[in-house]
Amino acid sequence: MEATPGGFLLVLMLVAPVTGLLIGFAQGGRAPERITLCLAPLGVTMAAVLLAGVLHARAPVVAFVGGWAPPLGLALRADGLAAAMLMTTALIIAAITLFARADYATAPGGTEARAPLAFWCFLLALWAALNAAFLGGDLFNLFVALEMLTFGALALACLDGRATQFKAELRYLLFALIGSVLYLLGTALLYGAYGTLDILLLSRAARADAPTIVAASLMTVGLLGKMALFPLHLWLPAAHAGAPPAASALLSGLVVKASYVLLLRLWFWVMPAALLLAVAPILALLGAAAILFGSLVALRQARLKLLVAYSTVAQIGYLFLMFPLVAGSAAEVAERAWTGGALQAISHAFAKAAMFLAAGVIARGMGHDRIAELHGAARVAPLSVLAFGLAGLSLMGIPPSGGFTAKWLLLQAALYAGQWWWALVIVAGGLLTGGYVFRVLSAAMRAPAAGFAPAAPVDPMQERVALGLAILSVLLGLLPLGAFGLVLIGR
């Protein structure tokens, strides 16, 4: 593959947040916040231009770092899936930037504080790592991007400095480091067997032999641990629920998607079809178990943020139902399943980011997040309750949301492929999701007791940001189906 026009944009999407991070950290004070506010619209613009370029060319955009092509150099590749995820990332980062100003702004002339400086710097680091994870074309450099992502996410999640946060994030760190070791061992085996880690070159040479099988197994388990697929989900609920709202939204909406996209590239780009056919049902079974287990446990939660965290465990499972539906199916069925899986990742990112932000605003306004005692929350934070409800509609798969389109495509693919049992899981998961979403909404819309007063005023901008993300998760379902052909480019 040769470099293509527009490749400089791929490099710029990595360089811009890193440069902003370095300048902001060096200057301190309000500089990191101002730089992030300036880079956020620039990032959305770059992602939109890249997406338009991929759509126009109907082919991936490719850049060679330093002008050296693999195997001597490194390639950055933006296919349709990468372009869609970069656009999703840019929009959510921009939303988080607006949301976080109420919590991490430095007053003009005020003294520099630890939390605001750390938040804006690590937000830029996280953004750069996400872009690198979606654009990387080399398995080792994707490992580096995932490590940057892990440590950036950990820093944001521990920003409040509470002991409970450190305990939860240490468990996250343990799972992440074990996953990293397994992934790195797998890449070493692949390099020893083939002499390259470039995804395109590996796809032409990979064989279904013992070293490849062992490498794929190690890398898959490592990535599943990082994205908390059942039963490797033990770190996620406490880590996501205990983090500040802005960090929870990033962790659940974006961070877990980087490992998922890498897993797709490993199995659908690199590994031989025979291995994929053998592994795909196993991954889908784990996904189905995650849907049912996560939804049932979410129903039993007494606290709002823990409910949303267990909902993430469940919703991650839908991403793996596409594996057996894409592998070995007819072209039309495979395209439906692939599109449904990609759209599920994107719609979940917007919906779950909105849900965590809304939950954070509600908890602050009420002074707690005990679901049974949320009476009056709709008066305290009406837009946040509305945002939570709209995001819940997308997670349930209610039309016309993006979640409905994603689950409908997966359900159709399951029926057309003769694998009807996955359709039952999708329907059951939607019903269970409706149970815990309506449980929260019914409590929030009840009249408060006499003498009720909010614990703290809510910020109008934070409410509008959460609602905006929830609306985006719904509007995805109103796009014509042909628009989702983007994610098929380069598949």
PDB file of all heavy atoms in Angstrom, residues 68-107:
ATOM      1  N   TRP A  68       9.136   6.526   5.427  1.00  0.00           N
ATOM      2  CA  TRP A  68       9.603   5.141   5.282  1.00  0.00           C
ATOM      3  C   TRP A  68       8.418   4.196   5.350  1.00  0.00           C
ATOM      4  O   TRP A  68       7.663   4.183   6.314  1.00  0.00           O
ATOM      5  CB  TRP A  68      10.600   4.787   6.386  1.00  0.00           C
ATOM      6  CG  TRP A  68      11.891   5.538   6.275  1.00  0.00           C
ATOM      7  CD1 TRP A  68      12.180   6.748   6.838  1.00  0.00           C
ATOM      8  CD2 TRP A  68      13.053   5.129   5.570  1.00  0.00           C
ATOM      9  NE1 TRP A  68      13.455   7.128   6.517  1.00  0.00           N
ATOM     10  CE2 TRP A  68      14.032   6.136   5.744  1.00  0.00           C
ATOM     11  CE3 TRP A  68      13.389   4.002   4.815  1.00  0.00           C
ATOM     12  CZ2 TRP A  68      15.283   6.069   5.183  1.00  0.00           C
ATOM     13  CZ3 TRP A  68      14.652   3.929   4.262  1.00  0.00           C
ATOM     14  CH2 TRP A  68      15.581   4.946   4.441  1.00  0.00           C
ATOM     15  N   ALA A  69       8.271   3.368   4.325  1.00  0.00           N
ATOM     16  CA  ALA A  69       7.178   2.402   4.277  1.00  0.00           C
ATOM     17  C   ALA A  69       7.538   1.167   5.086  1.00  0.00           C
ATOM     18  O   ALA A  69       8.719   0.830   5.245  1.00  0.00           O
ATOM     19  CB  ALA A  69       6.886   2.013   2.830  1.00  0.00           C
ATOM     20  N   PRO A  70       6.547   0.452   5.625  1.00  0.00           N
ATOM     21  CA  PRO A  70       6.820  -0.824   6.301  1.00  0.00           C
ATOM     22  C   PRO A  70       7.463  -1.803   5.325  1.00  0.00           C
ATOM     23  O   PRO A  70       7.200  -1.726   4.115  1.00  0.00           O
ATOM     24  CB  PRO A  70       5.427  -1.299   6.722  1.00  0.00           C
ATOM     25  CG  PRO A  70       4.589  -0.063   6.744  1.00  0.00           C
ATOM     26  CD  PRO A  70       5.125   0.808   5.658  1.00  0.00           C
ATOM     27  N   PRO A  71       8.328  -2.693   5.797  1.00  0.00           N
ATOM     28  CA  PRO A  71       8.613  -3.001   7.207  1.00  0.00           C
ATOM     29  C   PRO A  71       9.676  -2.122   7.853  1.00  0.00           C
ATOM     30  O   PRO A  71       9.934  -2.259   9.039  1.00  0.00           O
ATOM     31  CB  PRO A  71       9.107  -4.444   7.128  1.00  0.00           C
ATOM     32  CG  PRO A  71       9.766  -4.530   5.803  1.00  0.00           C
ATOM     33  CD  PRO A  71       8.956  -3.668   4.878  1.00  0.00           C
ATOM     34  N   LEU A  72      10.316  -1.218   7.087  1.00  0.00           N
ATOM     35  CA  LEU A  72      11.337  -0.350   7.685  1.00  0.00           C
ATOM     36  C   LEU A  72      10.716   0.765   8.520  1.00  0.00           C
ATOM     37  O   LEU A  72      11.267   1.157   9.546  1.00  0.00           O
ATOM     38  CB  LEU A  72      12.211   0.254   6.581  1.00  0.00           C
ATOM     39  CG  LEU A  72      13.052  -0.732   5.765  1.00  0.00           C
ATOM     40  CD1 LEU A  72      13.807   0.003   4.668  1.00  0.00           C
ATOM     41  CD2 LEU A  72      14.032  -1.475   6.670  1.00  0.00           C
ATOM     42  N   GLY A  73       9.602   1.297   8.062  1.00  0.00           N
ATOM     43  CA  GLY A  73       8.969   2.407   8.756  1.00  0.00           C
ATOM     44  C   GLY A  73       7.628   2.032   9.340  1.00  0.00           C
ATOM     45  O   GLY A  73       7.248   0.860   9.393  1.00  0.00           O
ATOM     46  N   LEU A  74       6.888   3.054   9.782  1.00  0.00           N
ATOM     47  CA  LEU A  74       5.582   2.855  10.405  1.00  0.00           C
ATOM     48  C   LEU A  74       4.509   3.489   9.537  1.00  0.00           C
ATOM     49  O   LEU A  74       4.717   4.563   8.959  1.00  0.00           O
ATOM     50  CB  LEU A  74       5.545   3.492  11.801  1.00  0.00           C
ATOM     51  CG  LEU A  74       6.577   2.972  12.810  1.00  0.00           C
ATOM     52  CD1 LEU A  74       6.480   3.786  14.099  1.00  0.00           C
ATOM     53  CD2 LEU A  74       6.353   1.501  13.084  1.00  0.00           C
ATOM     54  N   ALA A  75       3.375   2.838   9.461  1.00  0.00           N
ATOM     55  CA  ALA A  75       2.258   3.336   8.673  1.00  0.00           C
ATOM     56  C   ALA A  75       1.116   3.762   9.589  1.00  0.00           C
ATOM     57  O   ALA A  75       0.852   3.131  10.615  1.00  0.00           O
ATOM     58  CB  ALA A  75       1.773   2.269   7.700  1.00  0.00           C
ATOM     59  N   LEU A  76       0.478   4.856   9.227  1.00  0.00           N
ATOM     60  CA  LEU A  76      -0.774   5.280   9.842  1.00  0.00           C
ATOM     61  C   LEU A  76      -1.867   5.071   8.798  1.00  0.00           C
ATOM     62  O   LEU A  76      -1.731   5.514   7.664  1.00  0.00           O
ATOM     63  CB  LEU A  76      -0.721   6.751  10.251  1.00  0.00           C
ATOM     64  CG  LEU A  76       0.367   7.146  11.252  1.00  0.00           C
ATOM     65  CD1 LEU A  76       0.361   8.651  11.477  1.00  0.00           C
ATOM     66  CD2 LEU A  76       0.180   6.418  12.572  1.00  0.00           C
ATOM     67  N   ARG A  77      -2.936   4.390   9.177  1.00  0.00           N
ATOM     68  CA  ARG A  77      -3.998   4.082   8.221  1.00  0.00           C
ATOM     69  C   ARG A  77      -5.353   4.469   8.812  1.00  0.00           C
ATOM     70  O   ARG A  77      -5.689   4.078   9.927  1.00  0.00           O
ATOM     71  CB  ARG A  77      -4.009   2.583   7.877  1.00  0.00           C
ATOM     72  CG  ARG A  77      -2.740   2.074   7.222  1.00  0.00           C
ATOM     73  CD  ARG A  77      -2.899   0.627   6.745  1.00  0.00           C
ATOM     74  NE  ARG A  77      -1.667   0.126   6.145  1.00  0.00           N
ATOM     75  CZ  ARG A  77      -0.757  -0.587   6.790  1.00  0.00           C
ATOM     76  NH1 ARG A  77      -0.949  -0.881   8.060  1.00  0.00           N
ATOM     77  NH2 ARG A  77       0.331  -0.994   6.179  1.00  0.00           N
ATOM     78  N   ALA A  78      -6.117   5.216   8.042  1.00  0.00           N
ATOM     79  CA  ALA A  78      -7.470   5.599   8.445  1.00  0.00           C
ATOM     80  C   ALA A  78      -8.453   4.996   7.457  1.00  0.00           C
ATOM     81  O   ALA A  78      -8.682   5.544   6.386  1.00  0.00           O
ATOM     82  CB  ALA A  78      -7.596   7.113   8.481  1.00  0.00           C
ATOM     83  N   ASP A  79      -9.007   3.838   7.804  1.00  0.00           N
ATOM     84  CA  ASP A  79     -10.079   3.265   6.994  1.00  0.00           C
ATOM     85  C   ASP A  79     -11.406   3.834   7.496  1.00  0.00           C
ATOM     86  O   ASP A  79     -11.438   4.772   8.312  1.00  0.00           O
ATOM     87  CB  ASP A  79     -10.042   1.746   7.056  1.00  0.00           C
ATOM     88  CG  ASP A  79     -10.112   1.219   8.488  1.00  0.00           C
ATOM     89  OD1 ASP A  79     -10.380   2.023   9.407  1.00  0.00           O
ATOM     90  OD2 ASP A  79      -9.895   0.013   8.698  1.00  0.00           O
ATOM     91  N   GLY A  80     -12.524   3.282   7.006  1.00  0.00           N
ATOM     92  CA  GLY A  80     -13.816   3.829   7.397  1.00  0.00           C
ATOM     93  C   GLY A  80     -14.092   3.714   8.877  1.00  0.00           C
ATOM     94  O   GLY A  80     -14.618   4.652   9.501  1.00  0.00           O
ATOM     95  N   LEU A  81     -13.751   2.573   9.476  1.00  0.00           N
ATOM     96  CA  LEU A  81     -13.977   2.391  10.908  1.00  0.00           C
ATOM     97  C   LEU A  81     -13.150   3.380  11.723  1.00  0.00           C
ATOM     98  O   LEU A  81     -13.650   3.991  12.676  1.00  0.00           O
ATOM     99  CB  LEU A  81     -13.634   0.957  11.304  1.00  0.00           C
ATOM    100  CG  LEU A  81     -13.799   0.604  12.781  1.00  0.00           C
ATOM    101  CD1 LEU A  81     -15.244   0.769  13.223  1.00  0.00           C
ATOM    102  CD2 LEU A  81     -13.311  -0.817  13.053  1.00  0.00           C
ATOM    103  N   ALA A  82     -11.883   3.541  11.361  1.00  0.00           N
ATOM    104  CA  ALA A  82     -11.026   4.486  12.078  1.00  0.00           C
ATOM    105  C   ALA A  82     -11.548   5.908  11.952  1.00  0.00           C
ATOM    106  O   ALA A  82     -11.571   6.666  12.937  1.00  0.00           O
ATOM    107  CB  ALA A  82      -9.594   4.395  11.551  1.00  0.00           C
ATOM    108  N   ALA A  83     -11.978   6.302  10.749  1.00  0.00           N
ATOM    109  CA  ALA A  83     -12.492   7.656  10.552  1.00  0.00           C
ATOM    110  C   ALA A  83     -13.734   7.896  11.411  1.00  0.00           C
ATOM    111  O   ALA A  83     -13.894   8.968  12.008  1.00  0.00           O
ATOM    112  CB  ALA A  83     -12.816   7.877   9.076  1.00  0.00           C
ATOM    113  N   ALA A  84     -14.615   6.891  11.479  1.00  0.00           N
ATOM    114  CA  ALA A  84     -15.818   7.028  12.301  1.00  0.00           C
ATOM    115  C   ALA A  84     -15.473   7.143  13.784  1.00  0.00           C
ATOM    116  O   ALA A  84     -16.055   7.967  14.514  1.00  0.00           O
ATOM    117  CB  ALA A  84     -16.746   5.839  12.060  1.00  0.00           C
ATOM    118  N   MET A  85     -14.514   6.334  14.247  1.00  0.00           N
ATOM    119  CA  MET A  85     -14.135   6.388  15.656  1.00  0.00           C
ATOM    120  C   MET A  85     -13.397   7.686  15.991  1.00  0.00           C
ATOM    121  O   MET A  85     -13.550   8.227  17.096  1.00  0.00           O
ATOM    122  CB  MET A  85     -13.261   5.183  16.000  1.00  0.00           C
ATOM    123  CG  MET A  85     -13.982   3.844  15.938  1.00  0.00           C
ATOM    124  SD  MET A  85     -15.507   3.765  16.917  1.00  0.00           S
ATOM    125  CE  MET A  85     -14.894   4.121  18.566  1.00  0.00           C
ATOM    126  N   LEU A  86     -12.606   8.203  15.057  1.00  0.00           N
ATOM    127  CA  LEU A  86     -11.925   9.481  15.291  1.00  0.00           C
ATOM    128  C   LEU A  86     -12.922  10.623  15.391  1.00  0.00           C
ATOM    129  O   LEU A  86     -12.762  11.536  16.209  1.00  0.00           O
ATOM    130  CB  LEU A  86     -10.924   9.743  14.164  1.00  0.00           C
ATOM    131  CG  LEU A  86      -9.667   8.876  14.168  1.00  0.00           C
ATOM    132  CD1 LEU A  86      -8.914   9.023  12.845  1.00  0.00           C
ATOM    133  CD2 LEU A  86      -8.751   9.234  15.333  1.00  0.00           C
ATOM    134  N   MET A  87     -13.962  10.580  14.557  1.00  0.00           N
ATOM    135  CA  MET A  87     -15.004  11.610  14.627  1.00  0.00           C
ATOM    136  C   MET A  87     -15.751  11.512  15.952  1.00  0.00           C
ATOM    137  O   MET A  87     -16.027  12.533  16.607  1.00  0.00           O
ATOM    138  CB  MET A  87     -15.969  11.411  13.458  1.00  0.00           C
ATOM    139  CG  MET A  87     -16.977  12.531  13.288  1.00  0.00           C
ATOM    140  SD  MET A  87     -16.226  14.018  12.597  1.00  0.00           S
ATOM    141  CE  MET A  87     -16.816  15.262  13.738  1.00  0.00           C
ATOM    142  N   THR A  88     -16.071  10.288  16.362  1.00  0.00           N
ATOM    143  CA  THR A  88     -16.740  10.079  17.650  1.00  0.00           C
ATOM    144  C   THR A  88     -15.883  10.599  18.795  1.00  0.00           C
ATOM    145  O   THR A  88     -16.368  11.284  19.706  1.00  0.00           O
ATOM    146  CB  THR A  88     -17.033   8.585  17.844  1.00  0.00           C
ATOM    147  OG1 THR A  88     -17.845   8.106  16.768  1.00  0.00           O
ATOM    148  CG2 THR A  88     -17.748   8.330  19.163  1.00  0.00           C
ATOM    149  N   THR A  89     -14.596  10.273  18.752  1.00  0.00           N
ATOM    150  CA  THR A  89     -13.675  10.717  19.801  1.00  0.00           C
ATOM    151  C   THR A  89     -13.596  12.231  19.867  1.00  0.00           C
ATOM    152  O   THR A  89     -13.656  12.825  20.957  1.00  0.00           O
ATOM    153  CB  THR A  89     -12.274  10.131  19.538  1.00  0.00           C
ATOM    154  OG1 THR A  89     -12.342   8.704  19.585  1.00  0.00           O
ATOM    155  CG2 THR A  89     -11.273  10.625  20.565  1.00  0.00           C
ATOM    156  N   ALA A  90     -13.477  12.883  18.716  1.00  0.00           N
ATOM    157  CA  ALA A  90     -13.351  14.340  18.696  1.00  0.00           C
ATOM    158  C   ALA A  90     -14.592  15.012  19.264  1.00  0.00           C
ATOM    159  O   ALA A  90     -14.495  15.983  20.034  1.00  0.00           O
ATOM    160  CB  ALA A  90     -13.093  14.813  17.265  1.00  0.00           C
ATOM    161  N   LEU A  91     -15.768  14.512  18.922  1.00  0.00           N
ATOM    162  CA  LEU A  91     -17.006  15.113  19.421  1.00  0.00           C
ATOM    163  C   LEU A  91     -17.151  14.927  20.930  1.00  0.00           C
ATOM    164  O   LEU A  91     -17.541  15.860  21.653  1.00  0.00           O
ATOM    165  CB  LEU A  91     -18.206  14.491  18.702  1.00  0.00           C
ATOM    166  CG  LEU A  91     -18.394  14.900  17.236  1.00  0.00           C
ATOM    167  CD1 LEU A  91     -19.476  14.054  16.578  1.00  0.00           C
ATOM    168  CD2 LEU A  91     -18.748  16.379  17.129  1.00  0.00           C
ATOM    169  N   ILE A  92     -16.833  13.733  21.422  1.00  0.00           N
ATOM    170  CA  ILE A  92     -16.974  13.489  22.864  1.00  0.00           C
ATOM    171  C   ILE A  92     -15.919  14.260  23.652  1.00  0.00           C
ATOM    172  O   ILE A  92     -16.213  14.818  24.726  1.00  0.00           O
ATOM    173  CB  ILE A  92     -16.908  11.975  23.150  1.00  0.00           C
ATOM    174  CG1 ILE A  92     -18.147  11.291  22.571  1.00  0.00           C
ATOM    175  CG2 ILE A  92     -16.810  11.708  24.654  1.00  0.00           C
ATOM    176  CD1 ILE A  92     -18.168   9.793  22.756  1.00  0.00           C
ATOM    177  N   ILE A  93     -14.694  14.330  23.136  1.00  0.00           N
ATOM    178  CA  ILE A  93     -13.663  15.137  23.812  1.00  0.00           C
ATOM    179  C   ILE A  93     -14.080  16.596  23.874  1.00  0.00           C
ATOM    180  O   ILE A  93     -13.909  17.278  24.905  1.00  0.00           O
ATOM    181  CB  ILE A  93     -12.313  14.992  23.074  1.00  0.00           C
ATOM    182  CG1 ILE A  93     -11.748  13.584  23.244  1.00  0.00           C
ATOM    183  CG2 ILE A  93     -11.309  16.035  23.571  1.00  0.00           C
ATOM    184  CD1 ILE A  93     -11.224  13.270  24.621  1.00  0.00           C
ATOM    185  N   ALA A  94     -14.639  17.118  22.772  1.00  0.00           N
ATOM    186  CA  ALA A  94     -15.106  18.508  22.768  1.00  0.00           C
ATOM    187  C   ALA A  94     -16.210  18.709  23.805  1.00  0.00           C
ATOM    188  O   ALA A  94     -16.239  19.724  24.519  1.00  0.00           O
ATOM    189  CB  ALA A  94     -15.601  18.888  21.375  1.00  0.00           C
ATOM    190  N   ALA A  95     -17.130  17.741  23.906  1.00  0.00           N
ATOM    191  CA  ALA A  95     -18.199  17.841  24.894  1.00  0.00           C
ATOM    192  C   ALA A  95     -17.652  17.790  26.320  1.00  0.00           C
ATOM    193  O   ALA A  95     -18.072  18.570  27.188  1.00  0.00           O
ATOM    194  CB  ALA A  95     -19.210  16.713  24.670  1.00  0.00           C
ATOM    195  N   ILE A  96     -16.703  16.894  26.559  1.00  0.00           N
ATOM    196  CA  ILE A  96     -16.105  16.787  27.893  1.00  0.00           C
ATOM    197  C   ILE A  96     -15.370  18.078  28.252  1.00  0.00           C
ATOM    198  O   ILE A  96     -15.368  18.520  29.413  1.00  0.00           O
ATOM    199  CB  ILE A  96     -15.137  15.589  27.947  1.00  0.00           C
ATOM    200  CG1 ILE A  96     -15.889  14.263  27.771  1.00  0.00           C
ATOM    201  CG2 ILE A  96     -14.358  15.576  29.261  1.00  0.00           C
ATOM    202  CD1 ILE A  96     -16.871  13.944  28.847  1.00  0.00           C
ATOM    203  N   THR A  97     -14.746  18.700  27.269  1.00  0.00           N
ATOM    204  CA  THR A  97     -14.045  19.966  27.508  1.00  0.00           C
ATOM    205  C   THR A  97     -15.008  21.027  28.030  1.00  0.00           C
ATOM    206  O   THR A  97     -14.689  21.756  28.980  1.00  0.00           O
ATOM    207  CB  THR A  97     -13.382  20.443  26.205  1.00  0.00           C
ATOM    208  OG1 THR A  97     -12.434  19.467  25.771  1.00  0.00           O
ATOM    209  CG2 THR A  97     -12.666  21.762  26.410  1.00  0.00           C
ATOM    210  N   LEU A  98     -16.185  21.124  27.416  1.00  0.00           N
ATOM    211  CA  LEU A  98     -17.176  22.094  27.879  1.00  0.00           C
ATOM    212  C   LEU A  98     -17.734  21.707  29.244  1.00  0.00           C
ATOM    213  O   LEU A  98     -17.929  22.561  30.114  1.00  0.00           O
ATOM    214  CB  LEU A  98     -18.315  22.193  26.862  1.00  0.00           C
ATOM    215  CG  LEU A  98     -17.949  22.759  25.483  1.00  0.00           C
ATOM    216  CD1 LEU A  98     -19.144  22.691  24.551  1.00  0.00           C
ATOM    217  CD2 LEU A  98     -17.445  24.190  25.600  1.00  0.00           C
ATOM    218  N   PHE A  99     -17.997  20.427  29.441  1.00  0.00           N
ATOM    219  CA  PHE A  99     -18.552  19.951  30.708  1.00  0.00           C
ATOM    220  C   PHE A  99     -17.595  20.209  31.869  1.00  0.00           C
ATOM    221  O   PHE A  99     -18.010  20.610  32.960  1.00  0.00           O
ATOM    222  CB  PHE A  99     -18.852  18.460  30.596  1.00  0.00           C
ATOM    223  CG  PHE A  99     -19.480  17.855  31.825  1.00  0.00           C
ATOM    224  CD1 PHE A  99     -20.851  17.783  31.949  1.00  0.00           C
ATOM    225  CD2 PHE A  99     -18.690  17.344  32.860  1.00  0.00           C
ATOM    226  CE1 PHE A  99     -21.439  17.218  33.079  1.00  0.00           C
ATOM    227  CE2 PHE A  99     -19.272  16.797  33.987  1.00  0.00           C
ATOM    228  CZ  PHE A  99     -20.651  16.730  34.101  1.00  0.00           C
ATOM    229  N   ALA A 100     -16.307  19.975  31.650  1.00  0.00           N
ATOM    230  CA  ALA A 100     -15.333  19.998  32.740  1.00  0.00           C
ATOM    231  C   ALA A 100     -14.949  21.397  33.181  1.00  0.00           C
ATOM    232  O   ALA A 100     -14.329  21.560  34.237  1.00  0.00           O
ATOM    233  CB  ALA A 100     -14.074  19.233  32.317  1.00  0.00           C
ATOM    234  N   ARG A 101     -15.304  22.408  32.413  1.00  0.00           N
ATOM    235  CA  ARG A 101     -14.913  23.769  32.804  1.00  0.00           C
ATOM    236  C   ARG A 101     -15.519  24.164  34.146  1.00  0.00           C
ATOM    237  O   ARG A 101     -14.908  24.923  34.916  1.00  0.00           O
ATOM    238  CB  ARG A 101     -15.339  24.759  31.727  1.00  0.00           C
ATOM    239  CG  ARG A 101     -14.605  24.619  30.410  1.00  0.00           C
ATOM    240  CD  ARG A 101     -14.805  25.837  29.539  1.00  0.00           C
ATOM    241  NE  ARG A 101     -14.100  26.990  30.082  1.00  0.00           N
ATOM    242  CZ  ARG A 101     -14.340  28.252  29.698  1.00  0.00           C
ATOM    243  NH1 ARG A 101     -15.282  28.494  28.811  1.00  0.00           N
ATOM    244  NH2 ARG A 101     -13.656  29.249  30.210  1.00  0.00           N
ATOM    245  N   ALA A 102     -16.695  23.659  34.447  1.00  0.00           N
ATOM    246  CA  ALA A 102     -17.326  23.993  35.726  1.00  0.00           C
ATOM    247  C   ALA A 102     -16.568  23.395  36.904  1.00  0.00           C
ATOM    248  O   ALA A 102     -16.610  23.937  38.016  1.00  0.00           O
ATOM    249  CB  ALA A 102     -18.773  23.511  35.739  1.00  0.00           C
ATOM    250  N   ASP A 103     -15.862  22.298  36.689  1.00  0.00           N
ATOM    251  CA  ASP A 103     -15.166  21.606  37.777  1.00  0.00           C
ATOM    252  C   ASP A 103     -13.674  21.901  37.814  1.00  0.00           C
ATOM    253  O   ASP A 103     -13.065  21.859  38.893  1.00  0.00           O
ATOM    254  CB  ASP A 103     -15.364  20.090  37.646  1.00  0.00           C
ATOM    255  CG  ASP A 103     -16.823  19.679  37.748  1.00  0.00           C
ATOM    256  OD1 ASP A 103     -17.559  20.341  38.511  1.00  0.00           O
ATOM    257  OD2 ASP A 103     -17.217  18.712  37.077  1.00  0.00           O
ATOM    258  N   TYR A 104     -13.078  22.155  36.647  1.00  0.00           N
ATOM    259  CA  TYR A 104     -11.613  22.236  36.580  1.00  0.00           C
ATOM    260  C   TYR A 104     -11.115  23.527  35.937  1.00  0.00           C
ATOM    261  O   TYR A 104     -10.025  23.561  35.385  1.00  0.00           O
ATOM    262  CB  TYR A 104     -11.058  21.028  35.814  1.00  0.00           C
ATOM    263  CG  TYR A 104     -11.413  19.716  36.449  1.00  0.00           C
ATOM    264  CD1 TYR A 104     -12.353  18.870  35.872  1.00  0.00           C
ATOM    265  CD2 TYR A 104     -10.833  19.320  37.658  1.00  0.00           C
ATOM    266  CE1 TYR A 104     -12.699  17.662  36.460  1.00  0.00           C
ATOM    267  CE2 TYR A 104     -11.171  18.129  38.251  1.00  0.00           C
ATOM    268  CZ  TYR A 104     -12.102  17.300  37.650  1.00  0.00           C
ATOM    269  OH  TYR A 104     -12.445  16.115  38.242  1.00  0.00           O
ATOM    270  N   ALA A 105     -11.907  24.574  36.024  1.00  0.00           N
ATOM    271  CA  ALA A 105     -11.449  25.861  35.509  1.00  0.00           C
ATOM    272  C   ALA A 105     -10.581  26.562  36.546  1.00  0.00           C
ATOM    273  O   ALA A 105     -10.791  26.423  37.752  1.00  0.00           O
ATOM    274  CB  ALA A 105     -12.635  26.744  35.144  1.00  0.00           C
ATOM    275  N   THR A 106      -9.576  27.288  36.070  1.00  0.00           N
ATOM    276  CA  THR A 106      -8.733  28.114  36.941  1.00  0.00           C
ATOM    277  C   THR A 106      -9.179  29.561  36.791  1.00  0.00           C
ATOM    278  O   THR A 106      -9.222  30.085  35.676  1.00  0.00           O
ATOM    279  CB  THR A 106      -7.250  27.989  36.562  1.00  0.00           C
ATOM    280  OG1 THR A 106      -6.852  26.618  36.693  1.00  0.00           O
ATOM    281  CG2 THR A 106      -6.382  28.852  37.463  1.00  0.00           C
ATOM    282  N   ALA A 107      -9.548  30.199  37.875  1.00  0.00           N
ATOM    283  CA  ALA A 107     -10.039  31.573  37.821  1.00  0.00           C
ATOM    284  C   ALA A 107      -8.949  32.513  37.334  1.00  0.00           C
ATOM    285  O   ALA A 107      -7.765  32.294  37.617  1.00  0.00           O
ATOM    286  CB  ALA A 107     -10.530  32.003  39.205  1.00  0.00           C
TER     287      ALA A 107
END
